Amino acid sequence: IKTDNQYSNYVLIGRDKTIGYNFSSSNIYRVDLKKGTYRKLSDYCKKAVLPEKDRTFSQYINPNGTLLYIGSSNELYLYDTEKNLFFKANIQGYSGGNIIFDITEDDKGYIYLSTNNGISIIDKLNEQHHLLNGVVVKRIIFNKKRNLIACTNEGLFILDSNYHIIKRYSHNPLSSTSTSTNAIVDITEIINDKYFVCGDIDEFVQLFDLQSGKFSNFSDKDEYGLSTRLASCIIEDNHKNIWYGSTEDGVNIINLKSGKVRHYRYCSWDKNSLPDNNINCMKMDSGKNIWIGTCSGLYLVKNKDIPSFNNIPNTMEILLKESDKEAYYKFNTESIGKRITEFSSKNIMGIEEDSKGRLWITTSSGIFCYNVEENIIISLPQRMGFSSNNWVKNSSAKLSNGSLI
């Protein structure tokens, strides 16, 4: 069915199963599935027009398919599909917000409005309860225990059937298994009241384990894809893996034989993770160790710690096997190297190794000679003849005669 180039959301089916309803940000549409037509609802009901500055956020149709709810940026509207009547809802005692992000219904027939001021529970256009006052609620669902799960700007809330808050899950920068942000906008159940997929305001997708209360990013466990297209530097290691440094999302290690990819990035809770996700340069030394220069310091991955690609776990298989659950979180959060504290917070621009195994490291604040074996660092001052202390990224080389440029 052609939609006249309109951005189209899902279609809600009416009572007779041949007529559906759909919306874009500014219009409501009537879809005739039998005739294959897609037209504005106002073509059939002249009053079905939102004010010019109003924006449609949500729709819900009751189980009988006779009453369509339209949540907008200013009001709740109703459309009686049998009587062809469109009108503004006048909710008695209403204390929810004017922006209605989501609409759903429980098994008692109560309507739940997710708004910019909590959750309003209404019955026959009378507000019965108002929950989470002052909280922006984007979406709610019910689990099999009839607990209410609310996606909000302050994290994920779990409420019991009496509307008491059982648990609130919020972002903890020191935890590897907390939600990535407090601003959660969507949630969907995927496995038997145990696992849910959450979406946040930054469009990250996380898996939520309701039993353990743990979150983990799906993007971290994508075995076959690069985490970003913004490459900054590329090298090959001693195991024929490709190290792909990026400007925004750390390092991807690619195994060409299997086609699998492992992702490593900065984690606020892990002092052994990369110092920063902006990678400037990488270098494999004579000992086959990998040195990574970031905008916030130097990182070392020893040859013996370069990860294997033989047993990368399959995400869903691990989740379905309770005994392997901890392996899932370990794979999601493990680090493979260490930060070099002597170069903490330095913007590393280039790394070269001389014939004696010393590293020559250029930064945005000078050049250093690093004797790794003896852990001695010598800073070379600008007065030695350098035109500047601000060295250019990835602009060094070792010549065949051992000289460094």
Side-chain angles (χ1 to χ4, degrees), residues 141-171:
I141 64 170
F142 296 95
N143 69 357
K144 287 183 171 57
K145 294 181 179 179
R146 306 312 298 162
N147 292 332
L148 187 155
I149 304 176
C151 302
T152 81
N153 66 326
E154 297 183 11
L156 193 70
F157 286 80
I158 312 293
L159 292 82
D160 64 20
S161 57
N162 295 316
Y163 310 129
H164 298 133
I165 297 174
I166 301 173
K167 185 73 176 178
R168 175 194 168 204
Y169 297 97
S170 57
H171 174 60

Side-chain angles (χ1 to χ4, degrees), residues 8-261:
S8 183
N9 289 277
Y10 52 82
V11 174
L12 300 175
I13 306 300
R15 185 173 186 176
D16 64 1
K17 307 302 180 185
T18 63
I19 304 298
Y21 303 91
N22 175 261
F23 69 95
S24 66
S25 61
S26 57
N27 287 299
I28 306 163
Y29 293 90
R30 181 181 185 271
V31 185
D32 190 319
L33 302 177
K34 194 172 183 180
K35 295 180 180 178
T37 58
Y38 183 86
R39 296 170 62 184
K40 292 179 181 178
L41 182 59
S42 58
D43 290 346
Y44 304 90
C45 177
K46 291 184 178 180
K47 291 186 177 181
V49 179
L50 300 185
E52 186 177 348
K53 294 184 179 180
D54 229 351
R55 179 185 173 191
T56 308
F57 279 106
S58 56
Q59 281 189 350
Y60 173 76
I61 198 164
N62 67 352
N64 294 328
T66 58
L67 192 60
L68 179 69
Y69 295 77
I70 300 103
S72 79
S73 55
N74 282 301
E75 296 284 351
L76 176 68
Y77 298 90
L78 299 177
Y79 174 63
D80 188 318
T81 64
E82 293 189 316
K83 297 179 181 179
N84 196 30
L85 294 175
F86 185 89
F87 54 96
K88 185 188 297 184
N90 182 20
I91 304 172
Q92 299 298 313
Y94 184 69
S95 53
N98 61 308
I99 304 176
I100 299 170
F101 295 108
D102 188 45
I103 307 168
T104 192
E105 185 174 356
D106 68 10
D107 52 8
K108 297 178 183 177
Y110 286 3
I111 298 296
Y112 290 69
L113 305 180
S114 302
T115 79
N116 59 327
N117 182 32
I119 301 169
S120 179
I121 304 174
I122 62 176
D123 179 36
K124 298 177 182 177
L125 296 184
N126 289 288
E127 184 175 79
Q128 303 297 318
H129 302 279
H130 182 240
L131 315 175
L132 303 180
N133 183 54
V135 177
V136 176
V137 181
K138 288 296 186 77
R139 178 161 162 73
I140 60 173
I141 64 170
F142 296 95
N143 69 357
K144 287 183 171 57
K145 294 181 179 179
R146 306 312 298 162
N147 292 332
L148 187 155
I149 304 176
C151 302
T152 81
N153 66 326
E154 297 183 11
L156 193 70
F157 286 80
I158 312 293
L159 292 82
D160 64 20
S161 57
N162 295 316
Y163 310 129
H164 298 133
I165 297 174
I166 301 173
K167 185 73 176 178
R168 175 194 168 204
Y169 297 97
S170 57
H171 174 60
N172 179 359
L174 300 180
S175 171
S176 63
T177 57
S178 80
T179 175
S180 59
T181 175
N182 284 334
I184 301 175
V185 298
D186 202 359
I187 186 168
T188 301
E189 180 183 4
I190 57 171
I191 300 179
N192 299 329
D193 206 26
K194 288 172 57 179
Y195 297 113
F196 296 79
V197 172
C198 299
D200 68 29
I201 198 167
D202 296 317
E203 299 184 358
F204 286 111
V205 178
Q206 288 195 300
L207 190 75
F208 173 52
D209 182 342
L210 181 61
Q211 292 183 354
S212 69
K214 291 181 177 180
F215 293 78
S216 54
N217 291 335
F218 264 131
S219 58
D220 285 355
K221 297 170 293 299
D222 181 358
E223 301 170 17
Y224 298 99
L226 293 174
S227 64
T228 174
R229 62 181 179 82
L230 300 179
S232 57
C233 49
I234 299 173
I235 64 170
E236 183 181 20
D237 68 19
N238 191 43
H239 306 279
K240 300 187 183 303
N241 299 316
I242 303 299
W243 291 59
Y244 174 101
S246 75
T247 60
E248 64 172 6
D249 203 29
V251 173
N252 289 219
I253 307 177
I254 309 162
N255 183 268
L256 295 179
K257 185 176 181 180
S258 65
K260 292 186 176 182
V261 182

